[in-house]
């Protein structure tokens, strides 16, 4: 993931750079859009003055990085992003903590920027050079640490892009910086990869007490998956199919009354159903296997069990797996 953050004063060219990066498959995110959503929910008109006031209010109430944190929570690791509207140093610091963030400051001469602001004819924009200067002064620095601090943001930038020439020249500067930007390739290990898949498979479980999943892999290829729940053709646990689970019986009790099949059991049975041999495979489970599932793992010829958390009643099962020569490994997230 690459995160390019942009800061700069009015009409310096940030939107143009954003659009150019979007054309190169970057996804666009703006802290101003976060504010717009807040104003919309509160029924407040979306003017520049209201955006500034609401941003200052949120930073004072919830911390200067509140807008960045809201945005960060919605980022996906498999995408590259360009982040616009960074106007407070703490907003930038929140992104810097991610380790894949690079801040660019876009600058342009004042007279050119004022020409652009008149050309765009946006409602609420200053109409005279004096109004323009007053608004910029207000946004550039303040004694209030929660207010906009564009000068301090500019000082934090890794790179300065001077937008004082034709657009082609601006794009050339962006391309040069982009090629110099280090990329984050923190790929998960194979074990993390398959365990993460198992955690997603667990979301298919229909058990009301605990969602568990197993993924069986051979030669780095998934050959079977399973999650806990009632057998095929039996009413789902979450629809009342298993009385034991729906009464939330104390852990370890009434196990002989539980109608739910375990994740490892289902993964092994699915392999048998489709005629796929498991000898020499690895099973990834979100919980270590119970005694019954461990017997099936041993007899199916599975060579290794990799699990994320320990099953509360699994000590005897783990000892038996060890005795049978099955490798065990616990990987915590």
């Amino acid at each position: 993931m690459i995160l390019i953050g942009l800061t700069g004063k009015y009409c310096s060219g940030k939107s143009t750079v954003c659009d150019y990066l979007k054309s190169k498959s970057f996804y666009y995110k703006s802290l101003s859009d976060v504010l717009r959503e807040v104003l919309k929910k509160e029924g407040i008109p979306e003017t520049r003055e209201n955006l500034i006031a609401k941003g200052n209010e949120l930073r004072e109430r919830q911390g200067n990085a509140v807008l960045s944190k809201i945005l960060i929570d919605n980022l996906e690791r498999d995408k590259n992003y360009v982040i616009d509207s960074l106007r407070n140093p703490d907003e930038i610091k929140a992104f810097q903590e991610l380790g894949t963030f690079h801040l660019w400051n876009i600058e342009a001469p004042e007279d050119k920027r004022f020409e652009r602001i008149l050309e765009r004819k946006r409602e609420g924009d200053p109409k005279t050079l004096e109004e323009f200067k007053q608004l910029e002064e207000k946004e550039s620095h303040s004694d209030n640490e929660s207010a906009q601090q564009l000068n301090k943001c500019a000082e934090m930038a890794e790179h300065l892009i001077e937008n004082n020439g034709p657009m082609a020249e601006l794009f050339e500067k962006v391309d040069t910086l982009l090629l110099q930007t280090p990329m984050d390739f923190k790929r998960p290990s194979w074990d993390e990869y398959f365990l993460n898949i198992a955690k997603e498979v667990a979301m298919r479980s229909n058990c009301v007490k605990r969602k568990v999943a197993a993924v069986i892999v051979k030669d780095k290829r998934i050959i079977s998956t399973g999650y806990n729940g009632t057998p095929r053709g039996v009413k789902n646990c979450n629809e009342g199919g298993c009385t034991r689970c729906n009464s939330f019986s104390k852990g370890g009790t009434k196990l002989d009354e539980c109608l739910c099949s375990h994740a490892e059991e289902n993964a092994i049975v699915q392999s048998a159903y489709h005629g796929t041999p498991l000898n020499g495979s690895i099973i990834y489970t979100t919980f270590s296997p119970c005694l019954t599932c461990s017997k099936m793992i041993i007899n199916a010829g599975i060579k290794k069990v990799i699990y994320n958390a320990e099953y509360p009643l699994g000590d005897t099962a783990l000892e038996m797996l060890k005795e049978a020569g099955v490798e065990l490994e616990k990987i915590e997230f």
Side-chain angles (χ1 to χ4, degrees), residues 33-212:
D33 287 344
V34 176
L35 281 175
R36 289 187 181 94
E37 285 296 317
V38 174
L39 291 180
K40 184 178 179 181
K41 288 179 181 178
E42 297 182 2
I44 301 173
E46 189 188 303
T47 65
R48 188 169 187 88
E49 291 77 12
N50 287 341
L51 285 167
I52 293 172
K54 179 56 68 173
N56 292 346
E57 176 194 329
L58 288 174
R59 284 188 286 265
E60 287 174 355
R61 278 196 354 240
Q62 302 180 42
N64 293 343
V66 57
L67 299 177
S68 291
K69 289 177 179 178
I70 292 172
L71 199 152
I72 287 169
D73 286 342
N74 291 292
L75 297 181
E76 300 175 56
R77 286 187 60 194
D78 60 339
K79 294 179 172 64
N80 294 329
Y81 293 94
V82 54
I83 313 295
D84 194 14
S85 305
L86 294 161
R87 297 188 172 95
N88 185 281
D90 287 334
E91 292 173 344
I92 294 168
K93 290 175 184 176
F95 281 101
Q96 288 175 332
E97 290 175 1
L98 299 178
T100 60
F101 178 74
H102 307 278
L103 182 66
W104 298 353
N105 179 39
I106 315 298
E107 284 192 0
E110 184 182 79
D111 58 340
K112 284 186 177 292
R113 292 189 292 107
F114 182 59
E115 284 177 18
R116 294 169 188 163
I117 207 167
L118 292 178
E119 288 172 1
R120 75 182 186 181
K121 297 178 180 178
R122 185 180 295 175
E123 186 179 347
D125 279 346
K127 301 297 187 291
T128 68
L129 182 59
E130 187 60 31
E131 289 177 354
F132 178 70
K133 289 182 176 181
Q134 288 177 0
L135 189 57
E136 282 219 323
E137 180 69 17
K138 184 178 179 181
E139 294 190 10
S140 295
H141 58 85
S142 173
D143 293 332
N144 179 0
E145 292 186 357
S146 295
Q148 297 192 25
Q149 307 272 358
L150 290 181
N151 288 347
K152 289 184 178 179
C153 290
E155 292 172 2
M156 298 172 71
E158 291 180 38
H159 299 287
L160 165 65
I161 298 178
E162 293 185 357
N163 181 20
N164 53 6
M167 199 170 293
E169 185 178 304
L170 172 64
F171 293 159
E172 186 177 337
K173 292 176 180 178
V174 171
D175 286 340
T176 299
L177 281 184
L178 198 55
L179 292 173
Q180 296 172 358
T181 301
M183 298 184 182
D184 170 37
F185 274 97
K186 294 179 181 176
R187 303 168 71 196
S189 67
W190 283 110
D191 290 340
E192 291 171 332
Y193 172 73
F194 290 121
L195 268 180
N196 274 314
I197 292 174
K199 290 173 79 69
E200 190 65 29
V201 172
M203 300 309 296
R204 281 286 302 166
S205 169
N206 64 57
C207 181
V208 299
K209 288 198 70 176
R210 178 184 285 131
K211 293 179 181 294
V212 184

